[in-house]
Amino acid sequence: MDLARVAQYSATAVTDEQREAAVLAPVITRKDGPHLLFTKRADHLGEHPGQMSFPGGGREPSDEDLTATALREANEEIGLDPETAEVIGRLDDIRTVTEYAVRPFVARVPDREYVPDEREVAEVAVLSVAALTDPANYDSERRDHPHYGEIRLHFFRVDDFVVWGATGRILAQLLELATDWRVPDEPDRVVDPDADFPV
């Protein structure tokens, strides 16, 4: 991964949503190459239960800025010491179906065991960038969204985990920016708006 591209990237901001949130895309360096850390959300959560995500959540009044939000949430969810995270840069803000503007930050973090807070996180998954960029592990679909019109959904399937939704959008941009991987020109399928998600 060329994280210098992330550091140099001029990200776009979303400023007209009611609520702000931030996530941290943690990059772990191992002998066999770079990896990304994800969390699997607990099944009892009201929003996006059981889905794969990056550590993160809504901005609190005590947060100095959205970087502080991302680091605080990563500390709460997986025990990441904010002092050990090297924030490299950020990606484009995205809108979610829950009417949040989400700001994704990318950071280098130590390779150690991260313990999930079971109130929010069912599991921590560290997935290799090589596997995430393997064409055999990716597919996508196009469908109409009730709020945003026609959208492209990305699905990354590695080690029985499926990264999709808002996290899939963030991941696709990160991989396009920092690696040679590119989103294929055409989706694998076009589906009806009310079709089940193939996960």
Side-chain angles (χ1 to χ4, degrees):
M1 295 186 82
D2 184 356
L3 294 181
R5 296 185 210 167
V6 176
Q8 296 162 4
Y9 182 68
S10 180
T12 60
V14 172
T15 59
D16 58 352
E17 289 288 4
Q18 293 291 323
R19 300 184 287 182
E20 290 182 303
V23 299
L24 194 72
V27 180
I28 293 173
T29 301
R30 293 182 173 171
K31 289 182 179 179
D32 59 345
H35 290 60
L36 291 169
L37 183 150
F38 299 86
T39 59
K40 185 175 183 180
R41 293 172 60 81
D43 287 332
H44 63 262
L45 293 177
E47 294 179 349
H48 312 296
Q51 289 189 19
M52 301 298 291
S53 63
F54 289 120
R59 183 173 184 172
E60 299 288 348
S62 59
D63 294 335
E64 182 179 348
D65 52 26
L66 285 168
T67 307
T69 300
L71 293 171
R72 174 184 54 76
E73 287 282 345
N75 176 255
E76 293 174 3
E77 291 183 5
I78 63 169
L80 173 68
D81 180 352
E83 296 295 324
T84 66
E86 180 192 354
V87 177
I88 304 299
R90 69 180 186 89
L91 307 174
D92 293 339
D93 290 1
I94 65 166
R95 303 174 191 273
T96 70
V97 294
T98 48
E99 299 182 342
Y100 274 96
V102 179
R103 180 158 296 174
F105 293 91
V106 180
R108 289 190 185 95
V109 303
D111 184 8
R112 67 167 185 80
E113 183 179 358
Y114 291 95
V115 180
D117 179 345
E118 294 180 356
R119 293 172 296 181
E120 297 184 62
V121 177
E123 189 174 355
V124 172
V126 178
L127 307 180
S128 76
V129 170
L132 290 165
T133 55
D134 184 339
N137 294 333
Y138 171 83
D139 61 285
S140 69
E141 66 184 34
R142 184 175 289 136
R143 68 167 69 202
D144 284 328
H145 190 280
H147 298 293
Y148 308 127
E150 189 176 272
I151 61 168
R152 178 94 171 257
L153 286 174
H154 308 279
F155 299 89
F156 298 86
R157 307 170 190 272
V158 178
D159 296 341
D160 296 325
F161 297 108
V162 182
V163 181
W164 67 287
T167 306
R169 273 188 283 162
I170 295 168
L171 177 59
Q173 184 187 23
L174 174 56
L175 294 177
E176 283 204 313
L177 189 59
T179 76
D180 293 331
W181 180 85
R182 295 292 176 266
V183 173
D185 290 337
E186 295 298 325
D188 295 277
R189 56 196 167 270
V190 178
V191 300
D192 293 331
D194 57 352
D196 290 338
F197 291 106
V199 297

